[in-house]
Amino acid sequence: MDKDDGDFLNSPVQKTVRFGGSVAKILAKYKRGDTHDFELLKHQLSDPDIKDAQIMNWLQELRNCVTELTKEFEQLVFIVLKIPWLGRSPAVIEVYLAFLANLVSAQTVYLRSCLSMVVSNFTPGRIIIREDDVDISDSDDENENLPRSFDLCHRALQIIARYVPSTSRFLVPILREKFPFINKSPKTLECYVHNLLRITVSFPVLRREILELVIEKMLKLDVSASRNSIEEAEENAAQQAEEMAVASREECLFIMDEDEDNEHVNPPTDDRIMANPVAERLDYLMVVLLAYIKDICFVNDVLELTRTKELYKDLIAIFDKLILPTHASSHVQFVIFYLCSFKLGFAEAFLEHLWKKVQSPNNPPVIRQSAAGYIGSFLARAKFIPIVTVKACLDLLVLWVHQYIDSQDTGSKAFCDVMLHGPFYAACQAVFYTLVFRHRQMVDGNLRSGLAYLQKLNLERLVMCRLNPLKVCLPAVTNMFAAIMRKYQLVFCYTIIERNNRQQLSVVRSNAMGDCVIVQSNPLDTFFPFDPYLLKRSGTVIHGIYQVWEETDVNDTHGGKQQIKQGCRGGDEDDDFLRGETPKNDSMEGITPGSYDSHLRSPNSMGSPPIAFLQRPF
């Protein structure tokens, strides 16, 4: 806050002379029933062409009689609050801020209105664009004065909070109410979120609530732009660009003059723009949020542990409330992924938090299955997690799975049923998925010790148990897991997979139109939350800490029985290691949050930092 702010209440009032008397006399006349001068005052303050000197004179007089501006004169106060003060001269701005300070200190009934006025300026203003004799209102995204305007808005908030200590209690509902619709321009959303996050610095007590609001809105964007729709839009855009390039080259063949040839060269385009408009908006917001996380956690490029721990607690609370239960989000969860990359301890704490949810019977099965999916995907994708941490987590998962088999593999419930044993199957799939991605690190350097560790897991018992996890896990995962186990001669899974395929019955479901369709169902809905990050701008932050799929030796992975071919297709440029053939979710209920269009990916850079894992109870 500027040093002159303290002089607002004591600054002198300029004397003015005008017909009809001062503002105080106009208000007194209004109370006696004479409204003529009052209406004239309202008209003059509403004039869009009002001059700076006029504004200053009126505001000075209003400050002098602010104690008279009770609820009876709210129309006048609302007109004053609508004055476009941000684009005025510095003198007008100072007087206006002084008026706000006087108003909220003398008449707290206008606190919400003042806060609402300030927050409404967190986005670019509206301008009128004339196209084909039609006036179109659009966002003024190119306004160069936006940073100055935003600074003044935050200064106004601090001034109001100085005179009304309870300001923070009223602020969050207004921030939620004023949040732009998600179909607004990316710049509008970016500016508003940037200003919300800036408020958390001035009002630390509001940080968790504001972060929750921001992430809630971002999740709505995230689930609106499915992974398939983003990939399809990018493919279409690339195809159109290629067609235009071919057409341009063909046209240039007929142009002989060099200058004319240069005129037909297409101007360079920004290759960071997302073809999907919803993904474009989300990309802008992810850039802002990831930059905020880094600015909070690092001071002069040095990690501040205390600040990072506090932010981690806030994000974990929001993760539990919003992100973990959300169906098939693709990008927002990477805020946790990013923060955990700052220090191994945070990654371990996140894994411990997820593990507690998996093993606790007090949590709903749907949450336990989702948490297991997060564990498997996090272990597979986080480049910053060393192999010793991966082994420690696998030990816990496999031990729990064996204990579950001990308690359930005999008796009346010892049969394959996702509704009964959903968390068990999700944990098994997390084990399979992690081994598919990390097995090479386990055997590199010392094959004998690596194989000894894998044998110690007793995966054969897991595969052969009566609960039959290979039957319900994603076929793409089971196929690759079976190939790896066969390669190292640990477990031979193909007999079981073939038997499961023969026993697989067609499932009849109704689609959105009410028609019956026959599908081959994967009973365990699969969700790998840290599948490849598709957003281009914010992706530059994630790519350095993210492991993409590295092709394995296909001699063995394709050496199984030919019947086991569901979803196997490799891409030269894709990060796919497999795509499971799973049904679309037309009308299904009671399924774990996830995506039926699961894309299973895996790491590229397999080196882990030599950090000793601190053994801690999960």
Side-chain angles (χ1 to χ4, degrees), residues 288-582:
V288 174
L289 185 54
L290 293 176
Y292 168 81
I293 291 173
K294 183 175 181 181
D295 289 343
I296 292 295
C297 298
F298 286 87
V299 178
N300 297 324
D301 294 329
V302 177
L303 182 66
E304 291 288 334
L305 277 179
T306 301
R307 298 173 61 173
T308 307
K309 287 178 181 178
E310 293 302 317
L311 180 59
Y312 172 81
K313 292 178 182 177
D314 290 339
L315 289 178
I316 281 295
I318 298 169
F319 173 84
D320 288 345
K321 183 176 181 179
L322 298 178
I323 300 178
L324 184 62
T326 297
H327 176 87
S329 60
S330 301
H331 299 95
V332 174
Q333 57 265 29
F334 276 87
V335 298
I336 292 286
F337 190 95
Y338 180 58
L339 186 144
C340 288
S341 70
F342 295 162
K343 191 176 180 61
L344 180 60
F346 293 112
E348 294 172 358
F350 182 52
L351 288 167
E352 179 180 359
H353 181 77
L354 293 170
W355 172 240
K356 288 179 179 179
K357 290 191 173 297
V358 171
Q359 66 175 351
S360 173
N362 296 324
N363 291 319
V366 71
I367 295 298
R368 298 173 68 188
Q369 291 172 225
S370 184
Y374 267 91
I375 290 177
S377 192
F378 190 67
L379 292 175
R381 294 301 192 173
K383 186 185 293 187
F384 46 86
I385 296 183
I387 192 61
V388 65
T389 304
V390 175
K391 289 182 177 180
C393 293
L394 277 178
D395 289 341
L396 290 170
L397 277 170
V398 172
L399 177 61
W400 182 84
V401 166
H402 283 304
Q403 290 175 345
Y404 191 93
I405 294 173
D406 291 339
S407 63
Q408 299 291 333
D409 205 31
T410 58
S412 60
K413 296 182 180 180
F415 56 90
C416 183
D417 189 329
V418 175
M419 299 304 295
L420 288 176
H421 311 294
F424 166 79
Y425 294 122
C428 290
Q429 184 157 262
V431 172
F432 299 157
Y433 189 70
T434 303
L435 288 173
V436 165
F437 280 63
R438 294 286 197 163
H439 72 277
R440 184 172 299 178
Q441 284 180 280
M442 296 177 184
V443 299
D444 278 353
N446 193 330
L447 180 61
R448 177 172 296 181
S449 63
L451 292 179
Y453 170 76
L454 293 175
Q455 290 173 345
K456 186 186 70 172
L457 297 178
N458 194 11
L459 297 172
E460 182 176 8
R461 180 172 184 255
L462 192 156
V463 168
M464 300 294 183
C465 72
R466 296 175 62 185
L467 300 180
N468 196 359
L470 294 181
K471 185 174 183 178
V472 298
C473 292
L474 191 72
V477 176
T478 58
N479 290 338
M480 185 61 78
F481 172 76
I484 292 170
M485 294 297 101
R486 181 175 184 269
K487 176 179 179 179
Y488 297 120
Q489 299 182 6
L490 294 171
V491 184
F492 192 76
C493 305
Y494 290 113
T495 302
I496 298 176
I497 296 177
E498 289 177 353
R499 183 185 66 198
N500 292 337
N501 288 341
R502 288 194 298 269
Q503 295 176 350
Q504 185 73 37
L505 299 177
S506 296
V507 179
V508 178
R509 300 190 188 280
S510 59
N511 59 17
M513 304 299 295
D515 300 325
C516 292
V517 294
I518 299 178
V519 295
Q520 292 294 329
S521 177
N522 171 34
L524 181 64
D525 188 16
T526 302
F527 177 40
F528 297 107
F530 298 116
D531 270 357
Y533 196 88
L534 302 179
L535 305 180
K536 296 177 182 178
R537 292 181 180 87
S538 52
T540 58
V541 178
I542 301 298
H543 294 158
I545 57 176
Y546 187 82
Q547 292 182 333
V548 296
W549 171 247
E550 183 182 50
E551 291 294 339
T552 55
D553 184 3
V554 297
N555 292 331
D556 285 316
T557 58
H558 287 245
K561 302 295 183 179
Q562 292 301 314
Q563 294 91 329
I564 304 159
K565 56 184 179 183
Q566 296 175 341
C568 292
R569 76 174 181 88
D572 294 334
E573 299 178 355
D574 273 345
D575 186 48
D576 294 330
F577 89 87
L578 292 175
R579 287 179 184 261
E581 298 296 333
T582 51

Side-chain angles (χ1 to χ4, degrees), residues 250-307:
E250 292 176 351
E251 182 180 357
C252 288
L253 294 176
F254 299 97
I255 300 176
M256 303 302 296
D257 184 75
E258 182 177 353
D259 293 335
E260 293 180 358
D261 186 29
N262 290 335
E263 292 178 1
H264 285 74
V265 175
N266 291 329
T269 58
D270 188 353
D271 58 359
R272 300 178 305 166
I273 296 177
M274 301 295 299
N276 184 305
V278 179
E280 175 75 355
R281 299 185 187 99
L282 179 61
D283 198 7
Y284 269 87
L285 300 189
M286 285 297 297
V287 169
V288 174
L289 185 54
L290 293 176
Y292 168 81
I293 291 173
K294 183 175 181 181
D295 289 343
I296 292 295
C297 298
F298 286 87
V299 178
N300 297 324
D301 294 329
V302 177
L303 182 66
E304 291 288 334
L305 277 179
T306 301
R307 298 173 61 173

Side-chain angles (χ1 to χ4, degrees), residues 242-252:
E242 179 62 25
E243 291 174 354
M244 292 177 61
V246 171
S248 178
R249 288 195 296 268
E250 292 176 351
E251 182 180 357
C252 288

